[in-house]
Amino acid sequence: MAYWLMKSEPDVYSIGDLERDRTELWDGVRNYQARNFLTSMALGDQAFFYHSNTKPPGIVGLVEIVETNVVDPTQFDSTHKYYDPKSFPDKPRWHTVTVGYVETFARGITLDQLKEAFTPDELWVVRRGNRLSVMPVEDTIAQKLLKMAYTTE
DNA sequence: GCCAACGTTGGC
DNA sequence: GCCAACGTTGGC
């Protein structure tokens, strides 16, 4: 089982929204590197849910991959924000996954804490200028993150 | 194929 | 709201 980190702006879609919805199609990723990570996800993989563009940014919960290799339907919808006129149903460009809610951490891990605990090579989200919205997390790093999340002060 | 212009992300 | 970082686009 592999671990990942997936970013979302809470104003757009938060861990609370996922808790309510239980599962959600992770649509709208339009970056090839992020897409490649999405397509290499397997059923049962888990991902740290990261709130970006908020105060404070950081990891807020855990999700799991419940459906893999889903064609992102928004790419064909000309009225949609994520419409891609260069993508066609017989040869879609954008595949993604469906995520399922696992838990919201009682105490989130802020970006400041992540920067204290990990180097940019260990955890890409602490890299300066990093804009990738989906990234892998090494198992040893994931275990440390889980330990941090479950440690109440 | 280069690279300037442009748009977006996301921390601060 | 600002702006650095960086991916994409399009003219040449």
Side-chain angles (χ1 to χ4, degrees), chain A residues 71-108:
Chain A
V71 174
D72 183 342
T74 61
Q75 65 194 302
F76 308 125
D77 178 356
S78 63
T79 67
H80 201 281
K81 182 186 174 190
Y82 297 128
Y83 177 57
D84 181 353
K86 292 177 185 167
S87 185
F88 302 95
D90 58 336
K91 202 172 184 244
R93 281 186 168 185
W94 306 109
H95 290 76
T96 185
V97 297
T98 302
V99 299
Y101 179 78
V102 175
E103 69 179 309
T104 303
F105 297 138
R107 185 180 300 259

Short mmCIF file of all heavy atoms in Angstrom, two decimals, chain A residues 71-108:
data_model
loop_
_atom_site.label_atom_id
_atom_site.label_comp_id
_atom_site.label_asym_id
_atom_site.label_seq_id
_atom_site.Cartn_x
_atom_site.Cartn_y
_atom_site.Cartn_z
N VAL A 71 -11.97 8.30 -15.77
CA VAL A 71 -11.87 9.40 -16.73
C VAL A 71 -12.56 10.63 -16.13
O VAL A 71 -13.73 10.56 -15.74
CB VAL A 71 -12.52 9.03 -18.08
CG1 VAL A 71 -12.53 10.22 -19.02
CG2 VAL A 71 -11.78 7.85 -18.72
N ASP A 72 -11.83 11.73 -16.03
CA ASP A 72 -12.39 12.96 -15.46
C ASP A 72 -13.43 13.53 -16.42
O ASP A 72 -13.09 14.00 -17.50
CB ASP A 72 -11.24 13.96 -15.24
CG ASP A 72 -11.70 15.25 -14.58
OD1 ASP A 72 -12.91 15.54 -14.59
OD2 ASP A 72 -10.82 15.96 -14.06
N PRO A 73 -14.71 13.49 -16.04
CA PRO A 73 -15.77 13.90 -16.99
C PRO A 73 -15.76 15.39 -17.30
O PRO A 73 -16.26 15.81 -18.34
CB PRO A 73 -17.06 13.50 -16.26
CG PRO A 73 -16.70 13.47 -14.80
CD PRO A 73 -15.25 13.09 -14.73
N THR A 74 -15.16 16.19 -16.43
CA THR A 74 -15.22 17.64 -16.65
C THR A 74 -14.42 18.08 -17.86
O THR A 74 -14.64 19.17 -18.39
CB THR A 74 -14.71 18.41 -15.40
OG1 THR A 74 -13.34 18.07 -15.15
CG2 THR A 74 -15.54 18.06 -14.16
N GLN A 75 -13.51 17.23 -18.33
CA GLN A 75 -12.68 17.64 -19.48
C GLN A 75 -13.48 17.75 -20.78
O GLN A 75 -13.07 18.44 -21.70
CB GLN A 75 -11.51 16.67 -19.68
CG GLN A 75 -11.92 15.25 -20.07
CD GLN A 75 -10.77 14.28 -19.92
OE1 GLN A 75 -9.71 14.44 -20.52
NE2 GLN A 75 -10.96 13.26 -19.08
N PHE A 76 -14.65 17.10 -20.83
CA PHE A 76 -15.46 17.12 -22.06
C PHE A 76 -16.60 18.13 -22.00
O PHE A 76 -17.34 18.28 -22.97
CB PHE A 76 -16.04 15.72 -22.33
CG PHE A 76 -15.01 14.63 -22.33
CD1 PHE A 76 -15.15 13.53 -21.50
CD2 PHE A 76 -13.90 14.71 -23.17
CE1 PHE A 76 -14.20 12.52 -21.48
CE2 PHE A 76 -12.95 13.71 -23.15
CZ PHE A 76 -13.10 12.61 -22.31
N ASP A 77 -16.77 18.78 -20.87
CA ASP A 77 -17.91 19.68 -20.66
C ASP A 77 -17.50 21.13 -20.98
O ASP A 77 -16.79 21.76 -20.21
CB ASP A 77 -18.37 19.56 -19.20
CG ASP A 77 -19.53 20.48 -18.86
OD1 ASP A 77 -19.92 21.28 -19.73
OD2 ASP A 77 -20.02 20.40 -17.73
N SER A 78 -17.95 21.61 -22.12
CA SER A 78 -17.49 22.93 -22.59
C SER A 78 -17.93 24.07 -21.69
O SER A 78 -17.41 25.18 -21.78
CB SER A 78 -17.99 23.19 -24.01
OG SER A 78 -19.40 23.22 -24.01
N THR A 79 -18.90 23.81 -20.82
CA THR A 79 -19.34 24.87 -19.91
C THR A 79 -18.56 24.83 -18.60
O THR A 79 -18.75 25.67 -17.72
CB THR A 79 -20.84 24.72 -19.56
OG1 THR A 79 -21.02 23.52 -18.78
CG2 THR A 79 -21.68 24.64 -20.81
N HIS A 80 -17.73 23.80 -18.45
CA HIS A 80 -17.05 23.60 -17.18
C HIS A 80 -15.71 24.31 -17.11
O HIS A 80 -15.00 24.43 -18.10
CB HIS A 80 -16.87 22.10 -16.91
CG HIS A 80 -16.67 21.76 -15.47
ND1 HIS A 80 -15.47 21.93 -14.85
CD2 HIS A 80 -17.53 21.30 -14.53
CE1 HIS A 80 -15.59 21.57 -13.58
NE2 HIS A 80 -16.83 21.18 -13.37
N LYS A 81 -15.39 24.72 -15.93
CA LYS A 81 -14.11 25.39 -15.66
C LYS A 81 -12.92 24.54 -16.11
O LYS A 81 -11.89 25.06 -16.53
CB LYS A 81 -14.04 25.66 -14.15
CG LYS A 81 -12.81 26.38 -13.66
CD LYS A 81 -12.83 26.45 -12.14
CE LYS A 81 -11.50 27.04 -11.62
NZ LYS A 81 -11.37 26.90 -10.17
N TYR A 82 -13.05 23.23 -15.98
CA TYR A 82 -11.93 22.35 -16.27
C TYR A 82 -12.01 21.73 -17.67
O TYR A 82 -11.31 20.77 -17.97
CB TYR A 82 -11.84 21.23 -15.22
CG TYR A 82 -11.58 21.74 -13.82
CD1 TYR A 82 -12.39 21.36 -12.76
CD2 TYR A 82 -10.53 22.62 -13.57
CE1 TYR A 82 -12.16 21.84 -11.48
CE2 TYR A 82 -10.28 23.10 -12.29
CZ TYR A 82 -11.10 22.70 -11.25
OH TYR A 82 -10.87 23.17 -9.98
N TYR A 83 -12.84 22.32 -18.52
CA TYR A 83 -12.97 21.85 -19.90
C TYR A 83 -11.62 21.90 -20.61
O TYR A 83 -10.88 22.88 -20.51
CB TYR A 83 -13.96 22.75 -20.64
CG TYR A 83 -14.14 22.44 -22.11
CD1 TYR A 83 -14.54 21.17 -22.52
CD2 TYR A 83 -13.90 23.42 -23.07
CE1 TYR A 83 -14.70 20.90 -23.87
CE2 TYR A 83 -14.08 23.16 -24.42
CZ TYR A 83 -14.47 21.89 -24.82
OH TYR A 83 -14.65 21.61 -26.14
N ASP A 84 -11.32 20.81 -21.34
CA ASP A 84 -10.10 20.78 -22.14
C ASP A 84 -10.48 20.50 -23.59
O ASP A 84 -10.77 19.36 -23.95
CB ASP A 84 -9.14 19.69 -21.62
CG ASP A 84 -7.85 19.64 -22.42
OD1 ASP A 84 -7.74 20.35 -23.45
OD2 ASP A 84 -6.93 18.90 -22.02
N PRO A 85 -10.48 21.53 -24.41
CA PRO A 85 -10.92 21.38 -25.81
C PRO A 85 -10.05 20.42 -26.62
O PRO A 85 -10.45 19.97 -27.70
CB PRO A 85 -10.85 22.80 -26.38
CG PRO A 85 -9.92 23.53 -25.47
CD PRO A 85 -10.06 22.90 -24.11
N LYS A 86 -8.87 20.12 -26.12
CA LYS A 86 -7.97 19.23 -26.86
C LYS A 86 -8.10 17.77 -26.43
O LYS A 86 -7.34 16.91 -26.88
CB LYS A 86 -6.52 19.69 -26.69
CG LYS A 86 -6.25 21.02 -27.36
CD LYS A 86 -4.83 21.46 -27.09
CE LYS A 86 -4.57 22.86 -27.65
NZ LYS A 86 -3.31 23.44 -27.13
N SER A 87 -9.05 17.51 -25.56
CA SER A 87 -9.25 16.13 -25.11
C SER A 87 -10.55 15.58 -25.69
O SER A 87 -11.55 16.29 -25.77
CB SER A 87 -9.31 16.10 -23.58
OG SER A 87 -9.38 14.76 -23.13
N PHE A 88 -10.52 14.32 -26.11
CA PHE A 88 -11.69 13.71 -26.73
C PHE A 88 -12.04 12.39 -26.06
O PHE A 88 -11.13 11.68 -25.61
CB PHE A 88 -11.43 13.52 -28.23
CG PHE A 88 -11.10 14.81 -28.92
CD1 PHE A 88 -9.77 15.19 -29.10
CD2 PHE A 88 -12.11 15.69 -29.33
CE1 PHE A 88 -9.45 16.40 -29.70
CE2 PHE A 88 -11.80 16.89 -29.93
CZ PHE A 88 -10.47 17.25 -30.12
N PRO A 89 -13.34 12.06 -26.02
CA PRO A 89 -13.79 10.86 -25.30
C PRO A 89 -13.10 9.57 -25.73
O PRO A 89 -12.90 8.68 -24.91
CB PRO A 89 -15.29 10.81 -25.59
CG PRO A 89 -15.65 12.25 -25.81
CD PRO A 89 -14.46 12.86 -26.51
N ASP A 90 -12.73 9.47 -27.01
CA ASP A 90 -12.06 8.24 -27.45
C ASP A 90 -10.58 8.23 -27.07
O ASP A 90 -9.90 7.21 -27.17
CB ASP A 90 -12.24 8.04 -28.96
CG ASP A 90 -11.71 9.21 -29.76
OD1 ASP A 90 -11.63 10.33 -29.19
OD2 ASP A 90 -11.37 9.02 -30.94
N LYS A 91 -10.08 9.38 -26.66
CA LYS A 91 -8.68 9.46 -26.20
C LYS A 91 -8.55 10.53 -25.13
O LYS A 91 -8.00 11.59 -25.36
CB LYS A 91 -7.76 9.75 -27.39
CG LYS A 91 -6.34 9.34 -27.13
CD LYS A 91 -5.46 9.46 -28.38
CE LYS A 91 -4.06 8.92 -28.08
NZ LYS A 91 -3.04 9.97 -28.18
N PRO A 92 -9.08 10.23 -23.94
CA PRO A 92 -9.07 11.23 -22.88
C PRO A 92 -7.66 11.52 -22.36
O PRO A 92 -6.83 10.62 -22.31
CB PRO A 92 -9.93 10.61 -21.78
CG PRO A 92 -10.19 9.22 -22.16
CD PRO A 92 -9.66 8.96 -23.54
N ARG A 93 -7.44 12.75 -22.03
CA ARG A 93 -6.14 13.14 -21.49
C ARG A 93 -6.05 12.96 -19.98
O ARG A 93 -4.98 12.75 -19.45
CB ARG A 93 -5.91 14.64 -21.73
CG ARG A 93 -5.48 15.01 -23.08
CD ARG A 93 -5.17 16.50 -23.06
NE ARG A 93 -4.48 16.90 -24.27
CZ ARG A 93 -4.01 18.13 -24.46
NH1 ARG A 93 -4.15 19.04 -23.53
NH2 ARG A 93 -3.40 18.43 -25.57
N TRP A 94 -7.20 13.17 -19.32
CA TRP A 94 -7.16 13.31 -17.86
C TRP A 94 -7.90 12.19 -17.15
O TRP A 94 -9.11 12.07 -17.28
CB TRP A 94 -7.73 14.68 -17.47
CG TRP A 94 -7.03 15.79 -18.19
CD1 TRP A 94 -7.55 16.56 -19.20
CD2 TRP A 94 -5.69 16.24 -18.00
NE1 TRP A 94 -6.60 17.45 -19.64
CE2 TRP A 94 -5.45 17.28 -18.92
CE3 TRP A 94 -4.66 15.86 -17.14
CZ2 TRP A 94 -4.22 17.94 -19.00
CZ3 TRP A 94 -3.43 16.52 -17.24
CH2 TRP A 94 -3.23 17.55 -18.15
N HIS A 95 -7.11 11.37 -16.45
CA HIS A 95 -7.67 10.33 -15.61
C HIS A 95 -7.42 10.70 -14.16
O HIS A 95 -6.46 11.38 -13.84
CB HIS A 95 -7.01 8.98 -15.90
CG HIS A 95 -7.39 8.42 -17.23
ND1 HIS A 95 -6.88 8.90 -18.41
CD2 HIS A 95 -8.24 7.44 -17.59
CE1 HIS A 95 -7.39 8.23 -19.42
NE2 HIS A 95 -8.22 7.33 -18.95
N THR A 96 -8.29 10.21 -13.28
CA THR A 96 -8.12 10.53 -11.88
C THR A 96 -8.61 9.38 -11.01
O THR A 96 -8.67 8.24 -11.49
CB THR A 96 -8.83 11.87 -11.54
OG1 THR A 96 -8.56 12.22 -10.20
CG2 THR A 96 -10.34 11.77 -11.79
N VAL A 97 -8.91 9.65 -9.76
CA VAL A 97 -9.37 8.61 -8.83
C VAL A 97 -10.59 9.13 -8.06
O VAL A 97 -10.88 10.32 -8.09
CB VAL A 97 -8.28 8.22 -7.80
CG1 VAL A 97 -7.06 7.62 -8.48
CG2 VAL A 97 -7.90 9.42 -6.93
N THR A 98 -11.27 8.22 -7.38
CA THR A 98 -12.27 8.61 -6.40
C THR A 98 -11.68 8.36 -5.02
O THR A 98 -11.10 7.29 -4.79
CB THR A 98 -13.57 7.79 -6.56
OG1 THR A 98 -14.07 7.97 -7.88
CG2 THR A 98 -14.63 8.24 -5.55
N VAL A 99 -11.79 9.36 -4.15
CA VAL A 99 -11.27 9.20 -2.80
C VAL A 99 -12.42 8.98 -1.82
O VAL A 99 -13.53 9.46 -2.04
CB VAL A 99 -10.42 10.41 -2.34
CG1 VAL A 99 -9.21 10.59 -3.25
CG2 VAL A 99 -11.25 11.69 -2.28
N GLY A 100 -12.12 8.23 -0.75
CA GLY A 100 -13.09 7.99 0.31
C GLY A 100 -12.60 8.58 1.62
O GLY A 100 -11.39 8.57 1.90
N TYR A 101 -13.52 9.09 2.39
CA TYR A 101 -13.16 9.68 3.68
C TYR A 101 -12.66 8.62 4.65
O TYR A 101 -13.28 7.56 4.77
CB TYR A 101 -14.39 10.38 4.27
CG TYR A 101 -14.15 11.01 5.62
CD1 TYR A 101 -13.49 12.22 5.72
CD2 TYR A 101 -14.61 10.40 6.78
CE1 TYR A 101 -13.27 12.82 6.96
CE2 TYR A 101 -14.40 10.98 8.03
CZ TYR A 101 -13.72 12.19 8.11
OH TYR A 101 -13.52 12.77 9.33
N VAL A 102 -11.58 8.88 5.34
CA VAL A 102 -11.12 7.99 6.40
C VAL A 102 -11.23 8.69 7.75
O VAL A 102 -11.94 8.25 8.63
CB VAL A 102 -9.67 7.52 6.18
CG1 VAL A 102 -9.17 6.70 7.36
CG2 VAL A 102 -9.58 6.70 4.89
N GLU A 103 -10.52 9.81 7.90
CA GLU A 103 -10.62 10.52 9.17
C GLU A 103 -10.10 11.94 9.05
O GLU A 103 -9.33 12.27 8.16
CB GLU A 103 -9.86 9.78 10.27
CG GLU A 103 -8.36 9.82 10.08
CD GLU A 103 -7.62 9.10 11.20
OE1 GLU A 103 -7.90 9.41 12.36
OE2 GLU A 103 -6.79 8.23 10.88
N THR A 104 -10.58 12.76 9.99
CA THR A 104 -10.03 14.09 10.18
C THR A 104 -9.16 14.04 11.43
O THR A 104 -9.62 13.55 12.46
CB THR A 104 -11.16 15.12 10.38
OG1 THR A 104 -12.04 15.05 9.26
CG2 THR A 104 -10.61 16.53 10.52
N PHE A 105 -7.92 14.49 11.32
CA PHE A 105 -7.04 14.46 12.50
C PHE A 105 -7.52 15.46 13.53
O PHE A 105 -7.88 16.59 13.20
CB PHE A 105 -5.60 14.77 12.09
CG PHE A 105 -5.00 13.75 11.16
CD1 PHE A 105 -4.22 14.15 10.08
CD2 PHE A 105 -5.21 12.38 11.36
CE1 PHE A 105 -3.66 13.20 9.22
CE2 PHE A 105 -4.65 11.43 10.50
CZ PHE A 105 -3.88 11.85 9.43
N ALA A 106 -7.54 15.00 14.78
CA ALA A 106 -7.96 15.89 15.87
C ALA A 106 -7.10 17.14 15.87
O ALA A 106 -7.58 18.25 16.09
CB ALA A 106 -7.86 15.16 17.21
N ARG A 107 -5.83 16.94 15.62
CA ARG A 107 -4.89 18.05 15.54
C ARG A 107 -4.21 17.98 14.19
O ARG A 107 -3.52 17.00 13.90
CB ARG A 107 -3.87 17.90 16.67
CG ARG A 107 -2.89 19.02 16.80
CD ARG A 107 -1.96 18.70 17.95
NE ARG A 107 -2.71 18.57 19.19
CZ ARG A 107 -2.78 19.54 20.12
NH1 ARG A 107 -2.16 20.65 19.94
NH2 ARG A 107 -3.47 19.36 21.22
N GLY A 108 -4.41 18.97 13.36
CA GLY A 108 -3.77 18.96 12.04
C GLY A 108 -2.27 19.15 12.18
O GLY A 108 -1.77 19.46 13.25
#
